[in-house]
């Protein structure tokens, strides 16, 4: 085999392997672009550790709905109502088994009505402004399981 044919063959093999591995590992341009929900989650994670403040709507201190309102506003320029109860009235209802990152998850922490909201991040976890600040929480903890009300999808 001549040097020219050998180098052409090597280029063809390398190109074929690159194509194979790019599809196997999702290295195409579409897979690299985050969904709107992932943009929400990515931004939400940057605020982890922010302090809790009743009525708070900024990184200096958040309450639950102030946090979700702020994250949606800054990450996607989507305006949400101010309270958890009012946020529960918007978006499309989503079954717990169909949750996607960025969906809002709602709870009755006061025993009466929707009083807490968080942002679903995946793997049965959400991030929200709890009384201990902005933290990642497992939806499988007894506390959250017993107070779960439902979920809403704000963006697709």
């Amino acid at each position: 085999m001549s040097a020219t044919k050998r180098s052409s063959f090597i280029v063809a093999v390398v190109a074929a392997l690159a194509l194979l591995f790019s599809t196997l590992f999702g290295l195409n341009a579409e897979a690299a672009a985050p969904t709107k929900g992932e943009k929400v989650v990515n931004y939400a994670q940057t605020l982890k550790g922010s302090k809790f403040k009743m009525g708070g709507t900024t990184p200096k201190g958040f309450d639950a709905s102030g946090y979700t309102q702020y994250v949606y506003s800054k990450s996607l320029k989507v305006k949400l109502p101010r309270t958890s109860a009012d946020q529960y009235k918007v978006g499309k209802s989503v079954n717990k088994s169909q949750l996607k990152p960025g969906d809002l998850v709602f709870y009755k922490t006061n025993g009466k009505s929707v009083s807490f909201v968080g942002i679903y991040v995946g793997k049965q976890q959400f991030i929200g402004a709890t009384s201990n600040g902005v933290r990642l929480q497992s939806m499988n903890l007894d506390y959250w399981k017993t107070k779960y009300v439902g979920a809403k999808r704000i963006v697709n």
Side-chain angles (χ1 to χ4, degrees), residues 1-139:
M1 186 182 283
S2 73
T4 307
K5 284 184 179 179
R6 188 173 25 247
S7 62
S8 294
F9 176 74
I10 292 171
V11 169
V13 169
V14 169
L17 288 171
L19 181 62
L20 172 67
F21 283 105
S22 71
T23 55
L24 282 176
F25 297 107
L27 298 177
N28 58 37
E30 289 176 21
T35 65
K36 289 180 181 178
E38 289 167 340
K39 285 182 183 179
V40 169
V41 169
N42 291 342
Y43 189 81
Q45 300 270 17
T46 68
L47 299 166
K48 203 183 303 184
S50 296
K51 298 203 180 312
F52 176 82
K53 180 181 178 190
M54 185 63 79
T57 60
T58 73
K60 291 181 181 179
F62 289 111
D63 67 11
S65 58
Y67 174 69
T68 54
Q69 184 184 52
Y70 185 87
V71 168
Y72 263 84
S73 171
K74 295 298 183 184
S75 64
L76 296 179
K77 297 188 180 358
V78 170
K79 187 169 170 57
L80 291 177
R82 176 59 188 97
T83 68
S84 299
D86 286 340
Q87 288 180 14
Y88 188 61
K89 295 174 185 173
V90 300
K92 179 185 173 214
S93 292
V94 180
N95 189 298
K96 202 175 194 179
S97 64
Q98 301 298 313
L99 286 169
K100 290 183 180 178
D103 289 344
L104 297 180
V105 288
F106 295 88
Y107 297 86
K108 287 183 183 179
T109 56
N110 64 8
K112 301 173 191 167
S113 58
V114 172
S115 52
F116 183 87
V117 59
I119 299 169
Y120 186 72
V121 299
K123 298 181 181 178
Q124 295 299 301
Q125 294 184 319
F126 70 86
I127 189 167
T130 69
S131 57
N132 293 317
V134 175
R135 303 175 59 177
L136 200 59
Q137 298 284 301
S138 171
M139 294 174 69

